[in-house]
Amino acid sequence: MTALTIVRGDITRQQVDALVNAANSSLLGGGGVDGAIHRRGGPAILEECRALRASRYGRGLPTGQAVATTAGELDARWVIHTVGPVWRPGGDPSLLASCYRESLRVADELGARTVAFPAVSTGVYRWPMQDAARIAVDTVRGVRTAVEEVRFVLFDDRAYEAFALQLG
Ligand code: AR6
C-alpha cells in the first residue's frame, strides 16, 4: 500500500529518495520548482540534464514523460524531471495524469521508496488547482507501485487545501 501524505512547504527541503521536478521540455531549468531545485541542488543536476539533451532527449523531454538525474546537493538520491502540460480551456487531463504515472514508473525503476511531488502544472503552466489536485490524487491512487510514500509538497494554503480536500 502506498501512503499518500501532504505537507505545506518547499520541495527542495524534503528528505526523500526522489523528488519530482515540474520541468519544461528543455530540461535546462526555469522558474518555480525547477529554478528552486537547480539552485539548491547545484550544478551536477544541470550537467546530467545537458547530457540527456545530448543523447536520449535531443528534442527535449516530451510533455507527460519523466526522466531521472542525480539530486546533487539536495537531501534526496534522485530528481525525477517531468513536463506538465500548459493549461488551456478544455485541456486534456491525460497528459497531467501521465506526469504522475510516468514519474512513479521511473521511481520504481530506481527503487525509490519515498517520492515527493509538487503540484505539477499549477504555477507557470496555469492548470486550475482544484482540477490538478483531483487528477494528481486519482492518478496516484490508481497506480500500481512499490513506492511506500507519495508526499505532495504544497507551496501555499490554496494548494494545500485543494489536495487535503481530495485526500479527504
Ligand atoms: N516547492 C514546492 N512547490 C513550489 C515551489 C517549491 N519550492 N515553488 C513553486 N511551487 P511551477 P509548472 C509551486 O511554476 O506550472 C518553470 O519555469 C507553485 O506554487 O514550478 O508545472 C519550468 O521550467 C505551483 O503550485 O511549475 C517550466 O517552464 C507548483 O509548484 C514551468 O515553470 C508548480 O509551479 C513549469 O510550470
Side-chain angles (χ1 to χ4, degrees), residues 31-55:
V33 171
D34 201 5
I37 283 177
H38 282 287
R39 251 192 325 275
R40 188 167 290 274
I45 301 175
L46 189 57
E47 218 169 279
E48 279 193 30
C49 286
R50 288 211 173 99
L52 286 166
R53 287 301 308 277
S55 55

Side-chain angles (χ1 to χ4, degrees), residues 9-12 22-24 29-36 84-85 118-127 129 153-156 158-159:
D10 179 345
I11 196 161
T12 67
N24 61 61
V33 171
D34 201 5
V120 178
S121 285
T122 62
V124 173
Y125 286 175
R126 306 187 314 275
W127 203 286
M129 187 60 77
V153 182
L154 293 324
F155 211 42
D156 55 26
R158 199 172 60 91

Side-chain angles (χ1 to χ4, degrees), residues 1 6 20 24 26 38 58 61 89-90 102 113 128 160 164:
M1 267 292 273
I6 51 173
V20 175
N24 61 61
S26 80
H38 282 287
L61 180 66
E102 287 298 305
R113 291 291 176 264
Y160 184 89

Side-chain angles (χ1 to χ4, degrees), residues 24-27 52-53 56-63 65 83:
N24 61 61
S25 286
S26 80
L27 291 176
L52 286 166
R53 287 301 308 277
R56 263 169 82 189
Y57 294 108
R59 291 181 179 171
L61 180 66
T63 304
Q65 294 193 21
V83 182

Side-chain angles (χ1 to χ4, degrees), residues 6-139:
I6 51 173
V7 299
R8 215 199 114 141
D10 179 345
I11 196 161
T12 67
R13 304 283 185 175
Q14 303 300 306
Q15 288 179 14
V16 280
D17 292 336
L19 51 88
V20 175
N21 182 16
N24 61 61
S25 286
S26 80
L27 291 176
L28 300 178
V33 171
D34 201 5
I37 283 177
H38 282 287
R39 251 192 325 275
R40 188 167 290 274
I45 301 175
L46 189 57
E47 218 169 279
E48 279 193 30
C49 286
R50 288 211 173 99
L52 286 166
R53 287 301 308 277
S55 55
R56 263 169 82 189
Y57 294 108
R59 291 181 179 171
L61 180 66
T63 304
Q65 294 193 21
V67 67
T69 65
T70 174
E73 291 157 34
L74 294 168
D75 211 347
R77 292 176 69 186
W78 303 283
V79 170
I80 299 173
H81 306 262
T82 191
V83 182
V86 178
W87 185 79
R88 58 183 172 74
D92 178 1
S94 66
L95 283 173
L96 184 53
S98 175
C99 289
Y100 289 93
R101 219 173 18 247
E102 287 298 305
S103 295
L104 289 174
R105 190 181 59 73
V106 170
D108 277 332
E109 276 173 15
L110 295 166
R113 291 291 176 264
T114 51
V115 179
F117 278 95
V120 178
S121 285
T122 62
V124 173
Y125 286 175
R126 306 187 314 275
W127 203 286
M129 187 60 77
Q130 301 286 349
D131 197 46
R134 182 185 55 75
I135 293 164
V137 170
D138 283 357
T139 303

